[in-house]
Amino acid sequence: MTYKRSAGLLLFRRTGAGSRPEPGDGDGDVAEVGTEVGVEVLLGHMGGPLWSGRTSGDWAIPKGEYGPEETPRDAARREFTEEIGLPPPDGEYLPLGEVRLSSGKLVTIWAVEADLDPALMVPGTFTMEWPPRSGNVQEFPELDQVAWCTPEMARSMLIPSQLPFLERLLVLLKA
């Protein structure tokens, strides 16, 4: 059986020891006070009506599927542009490995250090029938929001299958 494959980029930025941006100041930071200080990761809230209004376990690393004609890294870069609407950052791509989902899909993620203004995001879109069985096809953003968040916040926000990538990044940064 052939399984689907996805690849993506987990952006991270260093915030400096003791640096705590103010939550709610409109700069895309979800909440930083009282958490691990020193690094933030960029996550996207999944768009569309199925994820609307949810706040826990519905944020993701920007990623997407690719076929045999594309390398995982090239796919990760392409998907970043498709989902965020901005070119993938330059810099050293740190491999965070792979995770096989219960569906069988193989997900490969790289981390790259970069600072991106979430306000510049221009999300890609997808179409789906909504409401179900209505015959009404609507367009929705792939991601309806992106935000920088601390590892502590990311642990509660990320879909569970992507948590290993966050933990691998944190181990890599401590080395």
Side-chain angles (χ1 to χ4, degrees):
M1 178 174 211
T2 303
Y3 292 106
K4 293 181 179 180
R5 300 177 296 173
S6 288
L9 299 178
L10 176 59
L11 269 58
F12 69 95
R13 67 181 182 184
R14 297 174 198 273
T15 60
S19 171
R20 288 194 173 128
E22 294 296 319
D25 62 4
D27 65 356
D29 300 302
V30 174
E32 297 84 11
V33 177
T35 60
E36 295 176 50
V37 178
V39 68
E40 294 173 324
V41 293
L42 187 74
L43 301 179
H45 184 267
M46 292 185 275
L50 301 177
W51 303 102
S52 180
R54 297 169 97 182
T55 58
S56 180
D58 57 344
W59 289 70
I61 298 167
K63 65 164 190 54
E65 293 183 1
Y66 66 98
E69 72 287 348
E70 194 172 23
T71 68
R73 183 174 162 171
D74 287 345
R77 293 175 54 82
R78 175 185 50 75
E79 283 292 336
F80 183 86
T81 299
E82 287 180 13
E83 294 205 358
I84 303 290
L86 299 170
D90 293 325
E92 181 181 2
Y93 281 59
L94 307 171
L96 298 180
E98 300 173 335
V99 168
R100 185 159 309 270
L101 306 183
S102 59
S103 66
K105 180 187 279 187
L106 186 64
V107 179
T108 306
I109 301 292
W110 283 264
V112 62
E113 185 170 3
D115 199 359
L116 176 145
D117 181 354
L120 299 177
M121 178 184 87
V122 181
T125 60
F126 68 96
T127 58
M128 69 180 284
E129 182 181 13
W130 191 259
R133 296 176 294 286
S134 68
N136 184 26
V137 177
Q138 296 186 47
E139 187 173 67
F140 299 98
E142 295 267 357
L143 300 173
D144 58 21
Q145 180 183 359
V146 293
W148 289 103
C149 55
T150 62
E152 181 178 290
M153 287 298 299
R155 286 183 184 104
S156 67
M157 296 165 61
L158 264 173
I159 57 175
S161 63
Q162 292 184 0
L163 285 170
F165 298 116
L166 174 65
E167 299 306 330
R168 291 172 189 172
L169 171 63
L170 296 175
V171 168
L172 208 67
L173 294 177
K174 287 181 184 176

